[in-house]
Amino acid sequence: MKIYIKLNKAETEGWNNIKKGFEGFPGTQEELVKMMFFRGVNAFMEDLKNQVDELSEEEKEKILKEVDAEKSSKVSEKEATDETDN
């Protein structure tokens, strides 16, 4: 999979400054980007986990019920579409 990110001029300048800070990195630019990307994703997931951990049990139950209701609604819509397609 390839991910492309279009940077504006200021963002490109920032990226070039970051790369300068990693001079001597024992890998390719692609490996540096991949490492930074996954570290960012992991940090994001850890933040999300911490936010969920801080929810009360009542809040968690409410969210799960909303998700289940949304899933059921989507399944019903798909079943209705499938029936009309036949």
Side-chain angles (χ1 to χ4, degrees):
M1 174 192 316
K2 290 188 178 188
I3 299 173
Y4 295 93
I5 301 172
K6 185 174 181 177
L7 302 175
N8 64 32
K9 186 176 180 178
E11 293 165 337
T12 300
E13 186 177 317
W15 170 246
N16 289 332
N17 289 332
I18 289 171
K19 287 192 307 185
K20 287 178 188 173
F22 281 91
E23 286 180 4
F25 176 75
T28 65
Q29 179 176 321
E30 289 79 15
E31 291 169 330
L32 174 64
V33 170
K34 189 185 294 187
M35 178 191 70
M36 293 175 72
F37 173 79
F38 282 109
R39 285 190 179 189
V41 168
N42 290 336
F44 174 79
M45 294 303 292
E46 185 66 27
D47 289 346
L48 186 58
K49 179 189 172 302
N50 290 338
Q51 289 177 10
V52 169
D53 288 345
E54 292 174 5
L55 293 174
S56 68
E57 289 303 315
E58 293 80 20
E59 290 170 315
K60 289 177 187 178
E61 287 177 24
K62 179 183 176 192
I63 291 169
L64 288 174
K65 286 179 184 177
E66 290 173 0
V67 169
D68 286 341
E70 188 174 317
K71 283 181 182 177
S72 295
S73 172
K74 287 182 180 180
V75 168
S76 297
E77 289 174 13
K78 183 177 180 345
E79 288 172 351
T81 303
D82 289 346
E83 288 175 8
T84 58
D85 289 345
N86 291 330

mmCIF file of all heavy atoms in Angstrom, residues 12-52:
data_model
loop_
_atom_site.group_PDB
_atom_site.id
_atom_site.type_symbol
_atom_site.label_atom_id
_atom_site.label_comp_id
_atom_site.label_asym_id
_atom_site.label_seq_id
_atom_site.Cartn_x
_atom_site.Cartn_y
_atom_site.Cartn_z
ATOM 1 N N THR A 12 6.132 21.439 3.642
ATOM 2 C CA THR A 12 7.309 20.867 2.984
ATOM 3 C C THR A 12 8.579 21.360 3.654
ATOM 4 O O THR A 12 9.508 20.578 3.907
ATOM 5 C CB THR A 12 7.320 21.234 1.484
ATOM 6 O OG1 THR A 12 6.135 20.710 0.882
ATOM 7 C CG2 THR A 12 8.541 20.679 0.782
ATOM 8 N N GLU A 13 8.616 22.635 3.974
ATOM 9 C CA GLU A 13 9.774 23.188 4.670
ATOM 10 C C GLU A 13 9.936 22.521 6.035
ATOM 11 O O GLU A 13 11.050 22.160 6.439
ATOM 12 C CB GLU A 13 9.611 24.704 4.838
ATOM 13 C CG GLU A 13 10.814 25.382 5.427
ATOM 14 C CD GLU A 13 10.631 26.891 5.496
ATOM 15 O OE1 GLU A 13 10.132 27.483 4.521
ATOM 16 O OE2 GLU A 13 10.990 27.461 6.537
ATOM 17 N N GLY A 14 8.828 22.322 6.738
ATOM 18 C CA GLY A 14 8.876 21.633 8.028
ATOM 19 C C GLY A 14 9.386 20.216 7.893
ATOM 20 O O GLY A 14 10.212 19.751 8.694
ATOM 21 N N TRP A 15 8.897 19.499 6.871
ATOM 22 C CA TRP A 15 9.354 18.122 6.644
ATOM 23 C C TRP A 15 10.853 18.096 6.355
ATOM 24 O O TRP A 15 11.583 17.255 6.868
ATOM 25 C CB TRP A 15 8.564 17.467 5.518
ATOM 26 C CG TRP A 15 9.159 16.167 5.091
ATOM 27 C CD1 TRP A 15 9.735 15.870 3.898
ATOM 28 C CD2 TRP A 15 9.288 14.982 5.890
ATOM 29 N NE1 TRP A 15 10.193 14.576 3.894
ATOM 30 C CE2 TRP A 15 9.934 14.008 5.110
ATOM 31 C CE3 TRP A 15 8.916 14.650 7.185
ATOM 32 C CZ2 TRP A 15 10.224 12.733 5.582
ATOM 33 C CZ3 TRP A 15 9.203 13.378 7.658
ATOM 34 C CH2 TRP A 15 9.844 12.438 6.859
ATOM 35 N N ASN A 16 11.318 19.034 5.528
ATOM 36 C CA ASN A 16 12.747 19.083 5.212
ATOM 37 C C ASN A 16 13.577 19.347 6.466
ATOM 38 O O ASN A 16 14.662 18.775 6.626
ATOM 39 C CB ASN A 16 13.024 20.127 4.134
ATOM 40 C CG ASN A 16 12.510 19.691 2.772
ATOM 41 O OD1 ASN A 16 12.420 18.503 2.478
ATOM 42 N ND2 ASN A 16 12.153 20.653 1.945
ATOM 43 N N ASN A 17 13.066 20.163 7.376
ATOM 44 C CA ASN A 17 13.768 20.417 8.642
ATOM 45 C C ASN A 17 13.793 19.165 9.512
ATOM 46 O O ASN A 17 14.798 18.880 10.165
ATOM 47 C CB ASN A 17 13.132 21.583 9.395
ATOM 48 C CG ASN A 17 13.399 22.912 8.726
ATOM 49 O OD1 ASN A 17 14.408 23.084 8.040
ATOM 50 N ND2 ASN A 17 12.493 23.855 8.898
ATOM 51 N N ILE A 18 12.706 18.424 9.522
ATOM 52 C CA ILE A 18 12.665 17.165 10.282
ATOM 53 C C ILE A 18 13.699 16.192 9.728
ATOM 54 O O ILE A 18 14.447 15.562 10.481
ATOM 55 C CB ILE A 18 11.248 16.543 10.254
ATOM 56 C CG1 ILE A 18 10.300 17.387 11.108
ATOM 57 C CG2 ILE A 18 11.263 15.095 10.735
ATOM 58 C CD1 ILE A 18 8.841 17.002 10.987
ATOM 59 N N LYS A 19 13.735 16.065 8.405
ATOM 60 C CA LYS A 19 14.705 15.152 7.783
ATOM 61 C C LYS A 19 16.133 15.520 8.154
ATOM 62 O O LYS A 19 16.967 14.640 8.391
ATOM 63 C CB LYS A 19 14.545 15.137 6.257
ATOM 64 C CG LYS A 19 13.320 14.413 5.773
ATOM 65 C CD LYS A 19 13.339 14.155 4.281
ATOM 66 C CE LYS A 19 13.590 15.380 3.455
ATOM 67 N NZ LYS A 19 13.501 15.156 2.007
ATOM 68 N N LYS A 20 16.424 16.830 8.207
ATOM 69 C CA LYS A 20 17.771 17.267 8.586
ATOM 70 C C LYS A 20 18.117 16.793 9.996
ATOM 71 O O LYS A 20 19.251 16.453 10.285
ATOM 72 C CB LYS A 20 17.884 18.787 8.506
ATOM 73 C CG LYS A 20 17.940 19.329 7.099
ATOM 74 C CD LYS A 20 17.992 20.844 7.098
ATOM 75 C CE LYS A 20 17.842 21.386 5.687
ATOM 76 N NZ LYS A 20 17.733 22.853 5.678
ATOM 77 N N GLY A 21 17.100 16.764 10.863
ATOM 78 C CA GLY A 21 17.327 16.309 12.234
ATOM 79 C C GLY A 21 17.624 14.826 12.325
ATOM 80 O O GLY A 21 18.110 14.348 13.343
ATOM 81 N N PHE A 22 17.321 14.102 11.267
ATOM 82 C CA PHE A 22 17.565 12.662 11.244
ATOM 83 C C PHE A 22 18.737 12.282 10.348
ATOM 84 O O PHE A 22 18.845 11.128 9.935
ATOM 85 C CB PHE A 22 16.298 11.914 10.783
ATOM 86 C CG PHE A 22 15.267 11.774 11.866
ATOM 87 C CD1 PHE A 22 14.280 12.730 12.028
ATOM 88 C CD2 PHE A 22 15.302 10.691 12.726
ATOM 89 C CE1 PHE A 22 13.338 12.600 13.026
ATOM 90 C CE2 PHE A 22 14.350 10.549 13.732
ATOM 91 C CZ PHE A 22 13.368 11.514 13.880
ATOM 92 N N GLU A 23 19.594 13.250 10.055
ATOM 93 C CA GLU A 23 20.774 12.921 9.255
ATOM 94 C C GLU A 23 21.557 11.842 9.983
ATOM 95 O O GLU A 23 21.718 11.885 11.198
ATOM 96 C CB GLU A 23 21.631 14.164 9.027
ATOM 97 C CG GLU A 23 21.023 15.110 8.012
ATOM 98 C CD GLU A 23 21.871 16.345 7.770
ATOM 99 O OE1 GLU A 23 22.967 16.455 8.324
ATOM 100 O OE2 GLU A 23 21.392 17.212 7.022
ATOM 101 N N GLY A 24 21.987 10.854 9.256
ATOM 102 C CA GLY A 24 22.684 9.735 9.870
ATOM 103 C C GLY A 24 21.738 8.597 10.235
ATOM 104 O O GLY A 24 22.173 7.569 10.746
ATOM 105 N N PHE A 25 20.434 8.779 9.977
ATOM 106 C CA PHE A 25 19.467 7.704 10.223
ATOM 107 C C PHE A 25 19.890 6.499 9.387
ATOM 108 O O PHE A 25 20.145 6.630 8.194
ATOM 109 C CB PHE A 25 18.055 8.172 9.832
ATOM 110 C CG PHE A 25 16.994 7.120 9.965
ATOM 111 C CD1 PHE A 25 16.516 6.748 11.203
ATOM 112 C CD2 PHE A 25 16.474 6.500 8.838
ATOM 113 C CE1 PHE A 25 15.520 5.787 11.330
ATOM 114 C CE2 PHE A 25 15.483 5.533 8.949
ATOM 115 C CZ PHE A 25 15.006 5.174 10.199
ATOM 116 N N PRO A 26 19.977 5.334 10.003
ATOM 117 C CA PRO A 26 20.521 4.173 9.284
ATOM 118 C C PRO A 26 19.511 3.486 8.374
ATOM 119 O O PRO A 26 19.438 2.267 8.310
ATOM 120 C CB PRO A 26 20.927 3.247 10.429
ATOM 121 C CG PRO A 26 19.961 3.559 11.502
ATOM 122 C CD PRO A 26 19.702 5.035 11.377
ATOM 123 N N GLY A 27 18.720 4.263 7.681
ATOM 124 C CA GLY A 27 17.753 3.678 6.766
ATOM 125 C C GLY A 27 17.405 4.663 5.676
ATOM 126 O O GLY A 27 17.955 5.761 5.602
ATOM 127 N N THR A 28 16.447 4.266 4.849
ATOM 128 C CA THR A 28 16.012 5.116 3.744
ATOM 129 C C THR A 28 14.987 6.142 4.250
ATOM 130 O O THR A 28 14.465 6.027 5.367
ATOM 131 C CB THR A 28 15.351 4.275 2.644
ATOM 132 O OG1 THR A 28 14.138 3.703 3.178
ATOM 133 C CG2 THR A 28 16.274 3.182 2.140
ATOM 134 N N GLN A 29 14.700 7.112 3.402
ATOM 135 C CA GLN A 29 13.676 8.094 3.740
ATOM 136 C C GLN A 29 12.332 7.389 3.928
ATOM 137 O O GLN A 29 11.570 7.738 4.825
ATOM 138 C CB GLN A 29 13.566 9.157 2.646
ATOM 139 C CG GLN A 29 12.480 10.189 2.939
ATOM 140 C CD GLN A 29 12.433 11.303 1.906
ATOM 141 O OE1 GLN A 29 13.457 11.765 1.450
ATOM 142 N NE2 GLN A 29 11.238 11.714 1.551
ATOM 143 N N GLU A 30 12.058 6.388 3.105
ATOM 144 C CA GLU A 30 10.804 5.649 3.210
ATOM 145 C C GLU A 30 10.693 4.936 4.556
ATOM 146 O O GLU A 30 9.629 4.900 5.172
ATOM 147 C CB GLU A 30 10.663 4.645 2.060
ATOM 148 C CG GLU A 30 10.407 5.285 0.706
ATOM 149 C CD GLU A 30 11.657 5.863 0.044
ATOM 150 O OE1 GLU A 30 12.790 5.538 0.480
ATOM 151 O OE2 GLU A 30 11.518 6.656 -0.895
ATOM 152 N N GLU A 31 11.812 4.384 5.024
ATOM 153 C CA GLU A 31 11.813 3.715 6.331
ATOM 154 C C GLU A 31 11.597 4.720 7.460
ATOM 155 O O GLU A 31 10.899 4.431 8.432
ATOM 156 C CB GLU A 31 13.119 2.946 6.530
ATOM 157 C CG GLU A 31 13.242 1.742 5.620
ATOM 158 C CD GLU A 31 14.627 1.128 5.616
ATOM 159 O OE1 GLU A 31 15.627 1.853 5.823
ATOM 160 O OE2 GLU A 31 14.705 -0.089 5.382
ATOM 161 N N LEU A 32 12.168 5.911 7.317
ATOM 162 C CA LEU A 32 11.971 6.968 8.309
ATOM 163 C C LEU A 32 10.506 7.376 8.359
ATOM 164 O O LEU A 32 9.914 7.479 9.437
ATOM 165 C CB LEU A 32 12.851 8.184 7.983
ATOM 166 C CG LEU A 32 12.634 9.419 8.847
ATOM 167 C CD1 LEU A 32 12.989 9.140 10.304
ATOM 168 C CD2 LEU A 32 13.468 10.592 8.306
ATOM 169 N N VAL A 33 9.921 7.575 7.193
ATOM 170 C CA VAL A 33 8.516 7.974 7.131
ATOM 171 C C VAL A 33 7.629 6.886 7.741
ATOM 172 O O VAL A 33 6.711 7.172 8.518
ATOM 173 C CB VAL A 33 8.095 8.278 5.676
ATOM 174 C CG1 VAL A 33 6.595 8.452 5.559
ATOM 175 C CG2 VAL A 33 8.823 9.508 5.164
ATOM 176 N N LYS A 34 7.911 5.634 7.393
ATOM 177 C CA LYS A 34 7.116 4.524 7.921
ATOM 178 C C LYS A 34 7.216 4.468 9.450
ATOM 179 O O LYS A 34 6.217 4.299 10.149
ATOM 180 C CB LYS A 34 7.581 3.206 7.316
ATOM 181 C CG LYS A 34 6.667 2.034 7.636
ATOM 182 C CD LYS A 34 7.203 0.707 7.122
ATOM 183 C CE LYS A 34 7.256 0.647 5.630
ATOM 184 N NZ LYS A 34 7.627 -0.701 5.129
ATOM 185 N N MET A 35 8.434 4.621 9.966
ATOM 186 C CA MET A 35 8.633 4.599 11.417
ATOM 187 C C MET A 35 7.842 5.720 12.090
ATOM 188 O O MET A 35 7.136 5.501 13.080
ATOM 189 C CB MET A 35 10.119 4.747 11.749
ATOM 190 C CG MET A 35 10.413 4.781 13.249
ATOM 191 S SD MET A 35 12.103 5.280 13.639
ATOM 192 C CE MET A 35 12.085 7.005 13.183
ATOM 193 N N MET A 36 7.933 6.924 11.521
ATOM 194 C CA MET A 36 7.226 8.064 12.102
ATOM 195 C C MET A 36 5.710 7.872 12.015
ATOM 196 O O MET A 36 4.980 8.187 12.955
ATOM 197 C CB MET A 36 7.666 9.355 11.411
ATOM 198 C CG MET A 36 9.108 9.702 11.699
ATOM 199 S SD MET A 36 9.683 11.135 10.783
ATOM 200 C CE MET A 36 8.805 12.427 11.644
ATOM 201 N N PHE A 37 5.244 7.346 10.898
ATOM 202 C CA PHE A 37 3.812 7.115 10.713
ATOM 203 C C PHE A 37 3.282 6.151 11.778
ATOM 204 O O PHE A 37 2.291 6.426 12.450
ATOM 205 C CB PHE A 37 3.537 6.572 9.312
ATOM 206 C CG PHE A 37 2.113 6.161 9.093
ATOM 207 C CD1 PHE A 37 1.138 7.114 8.841
ATOM 208 C CD2 PHE A 37 1.742 4.829 9.156
ATOM 209 C CE1 PHE A 37 -0.182 6.748 8.653
ATOM 210 C CE2 PHE A 37 0.429 4.446 8.971
ATOM 211 C CZ PHE A 37 -0.548 5.414 8.718
ATOM 212 N N PHE A 38 3.958 5.016 11.933
ATOM 213 C CA PHE A 38 3.465 4.025 12.885
ATOM 214 C C PHE A 38 3.614 4.478 14.326
ATOM 215 O O PHE A 38 2.775 4.150 15.169
ATOM 216 C CB PHE A 38 4.114 2.657 12.650
ATOM 217 C CG PHE A 38 3.488 1.950 11.485
ATOM 218 C CD1 PHE A 38 4.182 1.795 10.303
ATOM 219 C CD2 PHE A 38 2.194 1.467 11.554
ATOM 220 C CE1 PHE A 38 3.605 1.159 9.216
ATOM 221 C CE2 PHE A 38 1.597 0.836 10.473
ATOM 222 C CZ PHE A 38 2.305 0.678 9.300
ATOM 223 N N ARG A 39 4.629 5.243 14.609
ATOM 224 C CA ARG A 39 4.733 5.801 15.967
ATOM 225 C C ARG A 39 3.578 6.758 16.229
ATOM 226 O O ARG A 39 3.021 6.782 17.317
ATOM 227 C CB ARG A 39 6.071 6.494 16.170
ATOM 228 C CG ARG A 39 7.192 5.505 16.346
ATOM 229 C CD ARG A 39 8.463 6.161 16.791
ATOM 230 N NE ARG A 39 9.487 5.145 16.964
ATOM 231 C CZ ARG A 39 10.657 5.387 17.515
ATOM 232 N NH1 ARG A 39 10.954 6.596 17.929
ATOM 233 N NH2 ARG A 39 11.536 4.412 17.642
ATOM 234 N N GLY A 40 3.210 7.526 15.220
ATOM 235 C CA GLY A 40 2.071 8.425 15.359
ATOM 236 C C GLY A 40 0.762 7.669 15.536
ATOM 237 O O GLY A 40 -0.068 8.019 16.382
ATOM 238 N N VAL A 41 0.574 6.609 14.750
ATOM 239 C CA VAL A 41 -0.638 5.795 14.870
ATOM 240 C C VAL A 41 -0.690 5.152 16.253
ATOM 241 O O VAL A 41 -1.732 5.150 16.912
ATOM 242 C CB VAL A 41 -0.695 4.712 13.760
ATOM 243 C CG1 VAL A 41 -1.778 3.683 14.052
ATOM 244 C CG2 VAL A 41 -0.926 5.367 12.404
ATOM 245 N N ASN A 42 0.437 4.615 16.707
ATOM 246 C CA ASN A 42 0.471 3.987 18.030
ATOM 247 C C ASN A 42 0.168 4.994 19.135
ATOM 248 O O ASN A 42 -0.559 4.682 20.088
ATOM 249 C CB ASN A 42 1.823 3.310 18.273
ATOM 250 C CG ASN A 42 2.002 2.076 17.414
ATOM 251 O OD1 ASN A 42 1.043 1.458 16.972
ATOM 252 N ND2 ASN A 42 3.251 1.724 17.159
ATOM 253 N N ALA A 43 0.707 6.210 19.019
ATOM 254 C CA ALA A 43 0.425 7.255 20.012
ATOM 255 C C ALA A 43 -1.052 7.624 19.990
ATOM 256 O O ALA A 43 -1.679 7.805 21.045
ATOM 257 C CB ALA A 43 1.294 8.486 19.751
ATOM 258 N N PHE A 44 -1.631 7.727 18.793
ATOM 259 C CA PHE A 44 -3.049 8.034 18.659
ATOM 260 C C PHE A 44 -3.901 6.954 19.317
ATOM 261 O O PHE A 44 -4.839 7.239 20.060
ATOM 262 C CB PHE A 44 -3.420 8.167 17.175
ATOM 263 C CG PHE A 44 -4.884 8.347 16.943
ATOM 264 C CD1 PHE A 44 -5.485 9.582 17.119
ATOM 265 C CD2 PHE A 44 -5.678 7.273 16.567
ATOM 266 C CE1 PHE A 44 -6.851 9.744 16.915
ATOM 267 C CE2 PHE A 44 -7.032 7.418 16.364
ATOM 268 C CZ PHE A 44 -7.618 8.663 16.534
ATOM 269 N N MET A 45 -3.567 5.686 19.054
ATOM 270 C CA MET A 45 -4.332 4.578 19.626
ATOM 271 C C MET A 45 -4.205 4.552 21.149
ATOM 272 O O MET A 45 -5.170 4.263 21.858
ATOM 273 C CB MET A 45 -3.881 3.243 19.024
ATOM 274 C CG MET A 45 -4.192 3.116 17.539
ATOM 275 S SD MET A 45 -5.941 3.327 17.126
ATOM 276 C CE MET A 45 -6.622 1.865 17.873
ATOM 277 N N GLU A 46 -3.028 4.859 21.666
ATOM 278 C CA GLU A 46 -2.828 4.908 23.118
ATOM 279 C C GLU A 46 -3.675 6.029 23.730
ATOM 280 O O GLU A 46 -4.300 5.835 24.771
ATOM 281 C CB GLU A 46 -1.344 5.107 23.439
ATOM 282 C CG GLU A 46 -1.016 5.056 24.909
ATOM 283 C CD GLU A 46 -1.239 3.696 25.555
ATOM 284 O OE1 GLU A 46 -1.162 2.667 24.847
ATOM 285 O OE2 GLU A 46 -1.496 3.654 26.770
ATOM 286 N N ASP A 47 -3.708 7.195 23.087
ATOM 287 C CA ASP A 47 -4.549 8.297 23.566
ATOM 288 C C ASP A 47 -6.021 7.894 23.562
ATOM 289 O O ASP A 47 -6.751 8.170 24.519
ATOM 290 C CB ASP A 47 -4.363 9.551 22.700
ATOM 291 C CG ASP A 47 -3.020 10.222 22.898
ATOM 292 O OD1 ASP A 47 -2.323 9.905 23.883
ATOM 293 O OD2 ASP A 47 -2.669 11.069 22.046
ATOM 294 N N LEU A 48 -6.452 7.241 22.493
ATOM 295 C CA LEU A 48 -7.838 6.800 22.390
ATOM 296 C C LEU A 48 -8.160 5.793 23.489
ATOM 297 O O LEU A 48 -9.202 5.883 24.149
ATOM 298 C CB LEU A 48 -8.089 6.197 21.011
ATOM 299 C CG LEU A 48 -9.510 5.816 20.676
ATOM 300 C CD1 LEU A 48 -10.447 7.010 20.769
ATOM 301 C CD2 LEU A 48 -9.568 5.208 19.278
ATOM 302 N N LYS A 49 -7.265 4.842 23.727
ATOM 303 C CA LYS A 49 -7.454 3.848 24.779
ATOM 304 C C LYS A 49 -7.583 4.533 26.134
ATOM 305 O O LYS A 49 -8.455 4.191 26.946
ATOM 306 C CB LYS A 49 -6.297 2.860 24.799
ATOM 307 C CG LYS A 49 -6.400 1.803 25.882
ATOM 308 C CD LYS A 49 -5.107 0.991 25.976
ATOM 309 C CE LYS A 49 -5.101 0.065 27.152
ATOM 310 N NZ LYS A 49 -5.267 0.709 28.452
ATOM 311 N N ASN A 50 -6.725 5.518 26.397
ATOM 312 C CA ASN A 50 -6.785 6.242 27.671
ATOM 313 C C ASN A 50 -8.111 6.977 27.833
ATOM 314 O O ASN A 50 -8.679 7.003 28.930
ATOM 315 C CB ASN A 50 -5.616 7.217 27.796
ATOM 316 C CG ASN A 50 -4.297 6.512 27.978
ATOM 317 O OD1 ASN A 50 -4.237 5.365 28.410
ATOM 318 N ND2 ASN A 50 -3.204 7.186 27.628
ATOM 319 N N GLN A 51 -8.615 7.559 26.743
ATOM 320 C CA GLN A 51 -9.899 8.251 26.810
ATOM 321 C C GLN A 51 -11.025 7.272 27.112
ATOM 322 O O GLN A 51 -11.922 7.568 27.901
ATOM 323 C CB GLN A 51 -10.174 9.004 25.517
ATOM 324 C CG GLN A 51 -9.285 10.210 25.325
ATOM 325 C CD GLN A 51 -9.517 10.897 23.992
ATOM 326 O OE1 GLN A 51 -10.460 10.605 23.281
ATOM 327 N NE2 GLN A 51 -8.636 11.821 23.649
ATOM 328 N N VAL A 52 -10.986 6.104 26.492
ATOM 329 C CA VAL A 52 -12.011 5.084 26.739
ATOM 330 C C VAL A 52 -11.915 4.596 28.179
ATOM 331 O O VAL A 52 -12.934 4.414 28.851
ATOM 332 C CB VAL A 52 -11.885 3.911 25.740
ATOM 333 C CG1 VAL A 52 -12.763 2.737 26.144
ATOM 334 C CG2 VAL A 52 -12.230 4.387 24.332
#
